[in-house]
Amino acid sequence: MCMVIFAPLFAVLAFATCGGYSGQIMVKVDCLESKIQNNISISFNYPFRLQQAHFSAPLCEGTRKETLFLEGDYASSAQFFVTVSVLAFLYSLLATIVYFFYQNKYREKNRGPVVDFLVTLAFSSLWLVSSIAWAKTLSGVKTATDVHQILLLMSACRAQENSCEVLQEPIWTNLNMSVAFGFLNFFLWAGNIWFAYKETGLHKSIQRYPSRTPSEKRGSFRQYSQTSLDQSGAGFGQRLYNQASFDLSSGGFSLPQTSLGQPMLYRQVGSPTSRGPLIFVNEM
């Protein structure tokens, strides 16, 4: 439920704070010889192609001016970050609609949970890569638009007799927040990986057939071998005990029955104490 609520919200905040940014720098130049005061405005915005941002600065030589450009092209990382944000927002909305209104289709043949799990893995990686890249790019944008660097670009400000003053500097709050929202989105999507994996039901099939360690296999083998030996020993003793039975009252003994025919009787002639010969009679 947290994923459904916060994923679209954090995605919107990420691309809104980055894609809607516009910065401005104001510099006042006082020319000593011509006694002319000039206010210079320098603007830049998303996608931060700074080499296209230009401004006119006085040369303090009459009315002559020079056209200067900022340095650096940071569009690729910024656009990549915003693209991931927009795609994550659209997928979050689609997943929310499917989850609430098409639950049966979502769970049909387990395709919906598996697709959701794979997409969650993909967006977790994309958020991490894009956030790191955008954080590094933002550092480069701040360096390229540093007011001290811009003052060194202007010939009038490099002359010691002229006076240059910075009236306005860029506000980086929104861009700093965009980086923070990027990493928050990564933690949100990465934290949802386990819940998406549980929806697939793959962990149940793994728990159904747990793997045993070699030590457990050896222990079970020893136990099985000992049990087999005990049972075979008991059976052997029982067979020895049942091989023949001696009946003193009748004066004879009998062997165990076999499948060859009727049992054979062994009768002794005379008294039980006599030592005469035995007569074997096979009653077929």
Side-chain angles (χ1 to χ4, degrees):
M1 184 61 67
C2 294
M3 179 68 179
V4 173
I5 297 175
F6 292 110
L9 177 61
F10 285 169
V12 169
L13 292 175
F15 73 74
T17 52
C18 179
Y21 179 81
S22 179
Q24 188 174 19
I25 301 173
M26 294 285 295
V27 178
K28 182 177 70 173
V29 180
D30 292 330
C31 297
L32 181 62
E33 294 182 358
S34 59
K35 305 296 183 182
I36 298 175
Q37 183 178 10
N38 297 274
N39 291 330
I40 303 172
S41 178
I42 307 169
S43 299
F44 61 95
N45 50 31
Y46 174 85
F48 306 104
R49 292 190 175 94
L50 300 182
Q51 78 278 9
Q52 298 178 359
H54 59 86
F55 58 97
S56 297
L59 290 173
C60 292
E61 297 176 1
T63 58
R64 294 178 58 189
K65 292 185 177 182
E66 61 179 348
T67 301
L68 301 174
F69 292 83
L70 298 179
E71 298 179 355
D73 185 1
Y74 304 94
S76 59
S77 297
Q79 289 176 337
F80 177 52
F81 180 79
V82 172
T83 301
V84 172
S85 304
V86 173
L87 292 178
F89 171 73
L90 295 177
Y91 177 78
S92 299
L93 289 181
L94 178 63
T96 302
I97 294 173
V98 172
Y99 189 80
F100 281 106
F101 299 102
Y102 299 96
Q103 186 67 231
N104 295 332
K105 294 290 184 181
Y106 174 77
R107 297 189 179 278
E108 184 177 357
K109 296 181 180 180
N110 205 31
R111 293 178 181 176
V114 172
V115 172
D116 187 32
F117 171 65
L118 295 177
V119 173
T120 302
L121 282 176
F123 270 112
S124 299
S125 303
L126 289 174
W127 273 118
L128 178 61
V129 174
S130 62
S131 298
I132 293 175
W134 171 231
K136 184 178 179 180
T137 299
L138 179 58
S139 177
V141 172
K142 292 179 179 180
T143 302
T145 56
D146 184 67
V147 291
H148 300 288
Q149 297 291 334
I150 293 176
L151 292 179
L152 293 176
L153 291 176
M154 295 185 288
S155 302
C157 294
R158 290 199 298 267
Q160 297 182 356
E161 62 272 13
N162 300 321
S163 175
C164 296
E165 181 182 357
V166 178
L167 301 178
Q168 182 180 346
E169 296 186 16
I171 300 175
W172 305 108
T173 304
N174 287 346
L175 295 184
N176 292 333
M177 290 178 62
S178 68
V179 174
F181 284 127
F183 284 104
L184 281 176
N185 276 284
F186 162 69
F187 288 119
L188 179 63
W189 286 82
N192 192 55
I193 291 177
W194 168 245
F195 299 100
Y197 176 71
K198 288 179 64 178
E199 289 289 330
T200 61
L202 298 176
H203 66 288
K204 295 181 180 179
S205 60
I206 296 176
Q207 293 177 357
R208 190 177 304 170
Y209 305 101
S211 60
R212 295 187 300 174
T213 61
S215 60
E216 293 177 348
K217 293 180 180 179
R218 289 194 298 269
S220 62
F221 177 75
R222 293 195 189 99
Q223 183 178 3
Y224 174 77
S225 302
Q226 184 65 31
T227 304
S228 301
L229 289 174
D230 294 342
Q231 292 178 354
S232 61
F236 179 72
Q238 186 176 4
R239 286 195 300 270
L240 291 178
Y241 179 78
N242 293 330
Q243 272 186 345
S245 60
F246 185 79
D247 190 358
L248 295 177
S249 62
S250 61
F253 64 94
S254 62
L255 293 177
Q257 296 181 359
T258 62
S259 59
L260 297 178
Q262 296 182 359
M264 297 187 345
L265 298 177
Y266 302 89
R267 297 179 181 177
Q268 184 176 8
V269 178
S271 63
T273 57
S274 64
R275 300 176 177 266
L278 295 176
I279 300 175
F280 301 93
V281 180
N282 186 5
E283 298 179 359
M284 299 298 294

